[in-house]
Amino acid sequence: MPNRTFFWFILPAMTAMILLIALPIVSVLIQSVHIQHEQVLVTSESCDPFGCTQVTSIDTEATAKLRAEKPLGRFIGLDTYTDRAHLAIDEVSKAWSSSDSMGAFLKRVLNLPLYKALAFTITYTVFVTPLVILLGLAVAVGVNNLPKIIKGPTVFISLLPMIITPLVGSIILFWMVDGDGIIGAMLQRIFEDNSLSLKASPRLTWIMLIVYGVWHHLPFSFIVFYAGLQTVSEDTMEAAMIDGASSWQRMIHVVVPHLMPLVIFLLLIQLMDNFRVFEPIIGFSAEAHATSLSWIIFNALRESGSPLFSSAGATSMITIVGVVILLVPLLVHSFRGFNKKTMLLGFLDAKPVSYTH
């Protein structure tokens, strides 16, 4: 393809990426290194027959003028990133120097807001992502082997969790595990403990959120694998059967390699989605036991009276860096695989060279 044609071909996509991705990220980065100007205070002296007192008041006109002249606020550099609400450099250093064991150090660090949220975010991502992919493949294979008469209704039922929005789905499950809900009441009867509550334990809260994450993301994984299974070559499967391969061997050596590009695709999507977990925490009202990086951003922006844009921007940039760190190994693997295929196709398409004397 000529360079000029290629340029006009990718121009719309590049323009959309710059406007919708690059510029917002740059805007958030700029906001994260600025902080809103403080209110201008004016001290005046008020005197009466009994004496004089100093009165401090807010000069609204001067404050509005200052903020209008410098709408971005006051430049503070990386101070927001290093304060206690974020990376907490000073607090981590003190914890490291004063802790006599790694367990004590981690306990102190995980009490800091960002690291507490990061611990749940990583735990949620590590458990939900592989479970969604493995269970999605298992469900897809099971549905693919069903008789045609019940395959359609089964696919429809399997996709129902995708119809329910994440927030509504988490609220429904929250009601179910409540003491008056079907799951909560059943557990209380089984263990004969009316005070038993899944929402009162931090560990059980994390487990509920992970279970909900698997339930919500599983249909997408299932439908992607189910579509991929329709492209598996029947000739290859028959050849494997003739060679004596068992069902499990055909799955491992034929189906899984064929679906590997879809596995990489789902890993990319799931890692990004799970690292930005937010709705289940709100739906379960689990802020006391589980917070995430996205929840910290939400909490900073809903600060009463004065949203903390700098704090939200810093947490957003940290989240972006975290997602990039998670995706880099997969992107490198995909890039290497693409290069190998390109080199192989180039070798096969190469014309034979004839040598003449």
Side-chain angles (χ1 to χ4, degrees), residues 7-41:
F7 170 77
W8 289 111
F9 179 76
I10 67 169
L11 181 61
M14 293 297 296
T15 303
M17 292 178 64
I18 292 173
L19 293 177
L20 302 179
I21 299 178
L23 291 182
I25 291 177
V26 172
S27 175
V28 171
L29 176 61
I30 294 174
Q31 185 62 64
S32 68
V33 296
H34 291 80
I35 192 172
Q36 189 177 29
H37 292 290
E38 294 84 358
Q39 294 177 330
V40 179
L41 301 179

Side-chain angles (χ1 to χ4, degrees), residues 124-200:
Y124 181 90
T125 303
V126 167
F127 279 95
V128 172
T129 302
L131 286 175
V132 165
I133 292 176
L134 292 176
L135 293 177
L137 179 59
V139 174
V141 172
V143 173
N144 192 55
N145 292 329
L146 291 176
K148 291 184 178 180
I149 191 171
I150 62 174
K151 187 178 294 186
T154 304
V155 171
F156 173 76
I157 295 174
S158 301
L159 295 179
L160 286 179
M162 292 185 65
I163 300 175
I164 303 175
T165 58
L167 184 58
V168 174
S170 59
I171 292 176
I172 292 174
L173 186 56
F174 178 77
W175 289 340
M176 293 174 65
V177 300
D178 189 73
D180 297 329
I182 181 172
I183 297 177
M186 185 183 302
L187 292 175
Q188 289 179 358
R189 291 183 180 180
I190 293 174
F191 293 98
E192 298 180 352
D193 184 2
N194 294 330
S195 62
L196 179 63
S197 174
L198 293 177
K199 299 179 294 183

